[in-house]
Amino acid sequence: MKKEKRSKLLKLMEQHQLDGVFIHSHENLRYLTGFTGSNGVYYFDGQDDYLWTDQRYTLQANEQSPFCKIEVADKAMNHFFSLKLPERLRGRIGFESDLMTVSHYKLFSSFVPDIEWIPLGAKLLEIRAVKSSEELAIIKQAVQIADDAFDELLPMIQIGMTEMDVRNELEYLMLKGGHEGPAFGTIVAFGERAALPHAVPTNRKLQRDEFLLIDFGVNFNGYMSDMTRTIAIGEVDSYSANVFNLTLQALEKSIAAIKPGIESHQLDQVARNVFEESDMEEYSLRGLGHGVGLQIHELPRIVQFGSDIVAPGMVFTVEPGLYIPNRVGVRIEDLIHVTEEGCDVLTDTPRKISLSL
């Protein structure tokens, strides 16, 4: 394990007076060990790193997690745990209480009835909120793949294409760029359907003089990117143009306000002020953005009443939007990295795009 991650884990154990940490979720397992298999548990006792998995992943575990003591089950995993947990676990054990199912908790507890299980809640997400230089480099690659695919997509857009057509073309272009898959279900919405914040692509056909909203991301080496652009197809009406300009203004002012120490609700309010001054706030959502990393939604949560404090190294989206039912929707989203002085915008695609088709 990288020295920085081990230091964070040891600090967590000290804060909660833990004798060990028991990790089973895919993202936290990958973060702490590098292991990407579908079946594995990591146990850290403050000195030794144990990775438990099944025979399918023997070679993979040794390749991806060379610092761990790899122990492979030669029988059913539940039988393996019934033997291994009493052998290794002692005292107070921190676990992923927000992620472990009740049935798993009962099962593991039955194997070690004398163990005190300490719920960690979102503590591991807090550890992951500040990205290392290595993590940032991977996220930047994910962003670049997405930017490049989007740039290739624009000349392909034609009147009469369906939302699903655009989605399919974009995901194919991203795939050619090299990645593990889309970061989430790609959102493509035309005209009035863009007022649905999480619209699912349909057979609705693109027309002239309307907006085309695309929200998408790439999963590259486990790390995500996220970007939204609202494209003017031809000449949109003045009302829609004003909605776009207000959203762009909210984005730009919010990004300019980012600095270490600002609380998430304060940052959200910067964008909300723009909408309130124009009597449009009722058409906005209750949040401005979210952390991005091994998951598409991580800490910090940049929301209306949020208390998360922005810190150097955090990576999160800034995505103000206005959604007027049955009429128009606009969202513009960039991914940013917090620095010691402010932030860097990772997204390179222009925010204002018009296509004359």
Side-chain angles (χ1 to χ4, degrees):
M1 187 195 307
K2 295 285 186 180
K3 183 178 180 180
E4 180 182 1
K5 293 179 181 178
R6 180 177 288 268
S7 177
K8 289 181 179 180
L9 203 53
L10 286 169
K11 184 177 180 179
L12 178 67
M13 292 178 66
E14 181 180 358
Q15 289 173 339
H16 294 271
Q17 299 180 322
L18 302 177
D19 296 294
V21 179
F22 188 87
I23 304 296
H24 73 287
S25 71
H26 176 77
E27 290 81 14
N28 286 331
L29 189 63
R30 184 168 188 166
Y31 177 77
L32 293 168
T33 72
F35 180 66
T36 62
S38 64
N39 188 20
V41 168
Y42 168 65
Y43 178 66
F44 179 60
D45 64 7
Q47 293 184 339
D48 294 320
D49 303 86
Y50 297 94
L51 178 57
W52 300 321
T53 187
D54 65 56
Q55 291 173 315
R56 295 172 297 170
Y57 297 113
T58 302
L59 293 177
Q60 182 177 335
N62 281 281
E63 289 176 358
Q64 294 180 330
S65 311
F67 63 89
C68 288
K69 294 184 177 181
I70 312 297
E71 297 182 326
V72 179
D74 57 359
K75 296 180 181 179
M77 286 299 291
N78 286 348
H79 176 74
F80 174 83
F81 285 129
S82 71
L83 301 175
K84 193 57 61 177
L85 268 57
E87 178 184 334
R88 299 292 185 205
L89 274 58
R90 296 288 186 277
R92 291 165 54 89
I93 305 300
F95 75 105
E96 300 164 289
S97 53
D98 288 353
L99 301 173
M100 185 180 290
T101 64
V102 173
S103 59
H104 272 113
Y105 177 76
K106 289 181 176 179
L107 179 68
F108 294 144
S109 298
S110 70
F111 295 152
V112 280
D114 296 330
I115 292 299
E116 185 178 0
W117 294 90
I118 308 300
L120 295 179
K123 295 299 181 182
L124 286 160
L125 277 177
E126 291 173 10
I127 286 177
R128 285 165 40 194
V130 173
K131 271 56 179 181
S132 67
S133 57
E134 291 85 358
E135 290 178 290
L136 179 60
I138 298 172
I139 292 171
K140 285 182 175 180
Q141 287 180 277
V143 171
Q144 188 63 59
I145 292 171
D147 279 335
D148 290 346
F150 187 80
D151 189 54
E152 286 188 68
L153 173 72
L154 291 178
M156 302 172 64
I157 295 174
Q158 299 293 331
I159 299 299
M161 291 180 74
T162 68
E163 292 169 340
M164 288 191 290
D165 289 336
V166 174
R167 186 269 315 274
N168 294 344
E169 292 291 351
L170 178 57
E171 291 191 352
Y172 173 65
L173 291 169
M174 289 193 294
L175 184 62
K176 289 202 303 180
H179 64 93
E180 294 185 18
F184 53 91
T186 300
I187 297 169
V188 178
F190 301 159
E192 76 291 341
R193 294 199 71 256
L196 300 169
H198 277 192
V200 176
T202 67
N203 282 316
R204 189 342 187 132
K205 292 184 178 181
L206 183 62
Q207 303 169 16
R208 288 184 177 84
D209 304 331
E210 67 178 6
F211 279 134
L212 185 171
L213 184 150
I214 304 177
D215 185 348
F216 69 106
V218 163
N219 176 345
F220 179 74
N221 285 356
Y223 286 82
M224 312 296 171
S225 71
D226 196 358
M227 175 175 78
T228 305
R229 289 296 182 262
T230 302
I231 306 164
I233 306 299
E235 297 291 331
V236 299
D237 62 80
S238 59
Y239 181 87
S240 297
N242 182 57
V243 171
F244 181 93
N245 290 334
L246 286 172
T247 305
L248 180 59
Q249 183 182 353
L251 175 79
E252 292 173 343
K253 286 190 174 183
S254 299
I255 290 177
I258 295 172
K259 60 181 179 180
I262 191 170
E263 291 189 33
S264 59
H265 71 89
Q266 294 174 312
L267 193 53
D268 172 88
Q269 191 61 47
V270 173
R272 202 166 299 283
N273 286 341
V274 175
F275 299 148
E276 287 174 345
E277 290 167 5
S278 303
D279 294 325
M280 296 290 283
E281 195 274 339
E282 65 178 296
Y283 300 114
S284 67
L285 303 180
R286 300 305 96 190
L288 179 66
H290 55 85
V292 173
L294 287 166
Q295 292 170 283
I296 195 59
H297 291 100
E298 294 193 345
L299 296 181
R301 298 175 65 244
I302 313 299
V303 295
Q304 188 172 17
F305 301 108
S307 58
D308 291 350
I309 297 175
V310 171
M314 287 182 170
V315 173
F316 57 84
T317 67
V318 180
E319 48 181 304
L322 289 172
Y323 311 92
I324 294 82
N326 303 313
R327 186 164 185 179
V328 64
V330 173
R331 180 166 64 254
I332 311 171
E333 175 186 23
D334 281 337
L335 192 61
I336 66 93
H337 169 246
V338 182
T339 64
E340 295 290 343
E341 295 79 26
C343 73
D344 292 328
V345 178
L346 303 181
T347 314
D348 196 41
T349 297
R351 295 166 181 162
K352 195 169 186 177
I353 304 170
S354 298
L355 297 178
S356 300
L357 301 181

